[in-house]
Amino acid sequence: MEGIEIQGGRRLAGEVRISGAKNAALPIMAASLLIPGPTRIHNVPRLHDVLTMLELLRLLGVAGDHEERSLKLDARDLVSTEAPYDLVRKMRASVYVLGPLLARFGRARVSLPGGCAWGPRPVDLHIKGMRQLGAKVDLEHGYIVARADQLKGARIPFEKSSVGATGNVMMAATLARGLTRIENAACEPEIVALADFLIAAGARIRGHGTKTIEIEGVDALHPTTFTNIPDRIETGTYLAAGAITGGEIICTGTRPDLLEIVLARFREMGCRVECEGDRIRLVQEGRLRAADVETAVYPGFPTDLQAQFMALLCVAEGIGVIHETIYPDRFTHVPELARLGAEISVHGNVATVRGSRSLQGSPVMSTDIRASSALILGGLVANGTTTVSRIYHIDRGYEAIEEKLSALGADIRRIEVDAPLR
Ligand code: UD1
């Protein structure tokens, strides 16, 4: 099985080109199911999750081509409306096909995803939303089975802000009859990108990026071409690599406006951060200072950067407290960071990190996409060798991470490791 080996202690410096956002590309790919003709999406990252979504779309009958960083999809004729367990359990975002299939074909059979490493992660809001649009939805043998002759616009007040449920309902509502009003909608930039894609394909949507999204149903969407937004989580991760190694990193092809609270936290920790156009430059000299982090829905601090900031706090001066408000159990990286010598205590959804002057390279195991990048960050600054196993998680969400980090001066390579027994 593949792992990543890092010799820590190198200062990173240079420019890194940021890839397209995974969490925008996945729903946009699913949205191509709404369109009876060709869809072109540019700036799509080359990642396992994108390949999994492509595999699912092809299984449904979509013609799909991946050329470099562009995707050509054509959902003119489908052969199936079923998303099987094998694909959905590999990637929860497969659930995004529910809304588009139901809206365009009047039926969908989508496996329930089950839990994940950091908790139950239910899809009840997706199901409730489809029911509110007039679909009949049953749970049968582990599958969500949904049917509707014609979806009808409705008021959909979400009791909790959910990126996935907002996206799924928004896609379904584009072809519903009449007006849908999503209240307490997710404001994440990836939802805005999805709405912009749908609008480019002829959907009538307003209010995206705010808590209330209105969708006026249309009869059909039409072929379109769309350029995906850059990945704000990848951006934050490379900036963190600069911060933790006392380096100087310039992220290019990114969107500083999507990272305001994250950049503020880097500054609070002592980093110099400058933005110009699509570039962010971070310079760190001396030791980082601890800061507190509380994850929240956008524009709050993203839960997908919580693990990486915990890695920073492990070597910062002082004590930093992390409140995880989105996924209370999202701390599977804590025992692995502790293997590198970090001092972290967890009580409920609060982690307290006492910074150490140094970490020690060790074998560690990644448990999810962002936990993997936190372990790599730890390895970059630890004394000696760190090997990160179960690296398939990183390939789900980071394009060519060891190449990008090597180009910045890291001593990092992919190796064969024994499978961990845990
Ligand atoms: C998306 C991101 C993920 C990120 C998360 C939060 C993708 C592919 N994934 O996941 O990387 O960490 O947003 O920013 O875009 N919830 C329910 N019922 C539901 C749906 C969600 O209770 O039906 C809860 C979840 O358990 C969680 C909260 O709502 O506590 C937010 O989850 P949600 O925003 O839906 O996350 P995802 O869309 O799954």
Side-chain angles (χ1 to χ4, degrees):
M1 135 180 192
E2 284 195 322
I4 279 184
E5 184 181 89
I6 307 157
Q7 302 293 336
R10 296 240 193 144
R11 176 180 182 269
L12 300 198
E15 278 191 20
V16 57
R17 175 101 199 148
I18 296 305
S19 301
K22 167 178 89 72
N23 288 351
L26 297 175
I28 290 171
M29 289 172 72
S32 73
L33 289 166
L34 290 161
I35 301 171
T39 300
R40 247 183 197 282
I41 317 164
H42 300 304
N43 201 25
V44 178
R46 291 189 79 86
L47 297 172
H48 278 195
D49 273 8
V50 166
L51 296 178
T52 304
M53 182 59 89
L54 195 56
E55 190 183 342
L56 172 56
L57 294 178
R58 284 187 177 137
L59 201 70
L60 300 175
V62 174
D65 271 331
H66 207 166
E67 300 157 0
E68 284 296 305
R69 276 158 194 82
S70 290
L71 264 182
K72 212 162 80 184
L73 302 169
D74 195 328
R76 205 173 310 234
D77 306 306
L78 288 204
V79 294
S80 165
T81 51
E82 174 170 324
Y85 178 56
D86 266 357
L87 286 174
V88 182
R89 80 185 159 87
K90 251 171 71 182
M91 186 186 69
R92 303 175 52 84
S94 308
V95 169
Y96 271 131
V97 302
L98 175 66
L101 287 175
L102 185 60
R104 182 156 160 235
F105 301 96
R107 60 182 191 281
R109 192 164 182 273
V110 176
S111 172
L112 281 166
C116 86
W118 15 283
R121 298 189 74 185
V123 287
D124 55 315
L125 299 173
H126 301 238
I127 294 172
K128 200 168 162 190
M130 298 307 152
R131 286 191 177 131
Q132 283 164 319
L133 289 175
K136 182 171 177 311
V137 186
D138 298 305
L139 298 180
E140 293 175 6
H141 306 288
Y143 277 76
I144 306 165
V145 179
R147 298 175 198 85
D149 289 337
Q150 167 70 63
L151 293 175
K152 292 180 192 66
R155 181 178 155 252
I156 302 190
F158 282 129
E159 60 251 40
K160 195 169 188 178
S161 175
S162 160
V163 176
T166 300
N168 229 337
V169 166
M170 185 166 73
M171 289 190 275
T174 57
L175 298 183
R177 189 175 306 136
L179 181 72
T180 297
R181 188 182 155 94
I182 305 176
E183 294 170 7
N184 197 20
C187 304
E188 269 66 7
E190 294 74 23
I191 290 295
V192 175
L194 173 63
D196 287 337
F197 167 79
L198 293 166
I199 291 167
R204 297 183 59 195
I205 301 174
R206 55 182 176 264
H208 44 299
T210 76
K211 291 251 162 231
T212 306
I213 302 178
E214 288 188 335
I215 306 119
E216 183 75 53
V218 295
D219 289 339
L221 298 188
H222 55 68
T224 191
T225 297
F226 187 75
T227 300
N228 187 23
I229 59 170
D231 198 309
R232 62 194 169 104
I233 306 303
E234 191 199 23
T235 305
T237 305
Y238 283 104
L239 294 175
I244 205 165
T245 62
E248 176 172 354
I249 301 284
I250 300 170
C251 291
T252 65
T254 189
R255 288 261 308 266
D257 60 308
L258 305 183
L259 282 133
E260 276 180 14
I261 195 162
V262 176
L263 301 184
R265 210 51 86 244
F266 277 121
R267 289 187 177 111
E268 198 183 327
M269 294 181 81
C271 306
R272 205 162 79 230
V273 181
E274 291 151 13
C275 304
E276 198 188 318
D278 69 353
R279 296 159 72 89
I280 305 176
R281 175 164 171 267
L282 179 144
V283 184
Q284 170 59 21
E285 280 152 13
R287 196 167 167 200
L288 289 164
R289 287 194 299 270
D292 296 338
V293 168
E294 180 167 330
T295 64
V297 297
Y298 191 83
F301 191 93
T303 172
D304 285 351
L305 281 171
Q306 180 255 104
Q308 298 88 321
F309 268 70
M310 187 180 285
L312 299 185
L313 290 176
C314 290
V315 293
E317 187 171 357
I319 294 176
V321 178
I322 296 183
H323 267 78
E324 174 55 70
T325 74
I326 308 291
Y327 296 109
D329 297 334
R330 193 176 192 175
F331 286 130
T332 54
H333 41 286
V334 169
E336 302 301 319
L337 287 170
R339 290 182 54 75
L340 298 176
E343 281 187 56
I344 308 166
S345 61
V346 176
H347 295 283
N349 68 337
V350 179
T352 306
V353 187
R354 181 186 293 274
S356 323
R357 279 208 168 267
S358 62
L359 296 177
Q360 305 141 24
S362 327
V364 288
M365 184 180 84
S366 70
T367 46
D368 74 51
I369 304 176
R370 309 305 168 187
S372 323
S373 58
L375 298 176
I376 290 178
L377 291 173
L380 287 174
V381 75
N383 297 319
T385 310
T386 296
T387 44
V388 186
S389 56
R390 295 208 176 155
I391 210 62
Y392 50 83
H393 289 294
I394 205 112
D395 294 327
R396 290 189 52 195
Y398 287 91
E399 182 173 347
I401 191 165
E402 72 275 26
E403 285 152 42
K404 289 188 180 186
L405 284 172
S406 293
L408 294 170
D411 185 343
I412 182 170
R413 62 197 176 102
R414 205 167 272 250
I415 54 162
E416 271 304 309
V417 290
D418 292 337
L421 294 174
R422 285 178 280 168

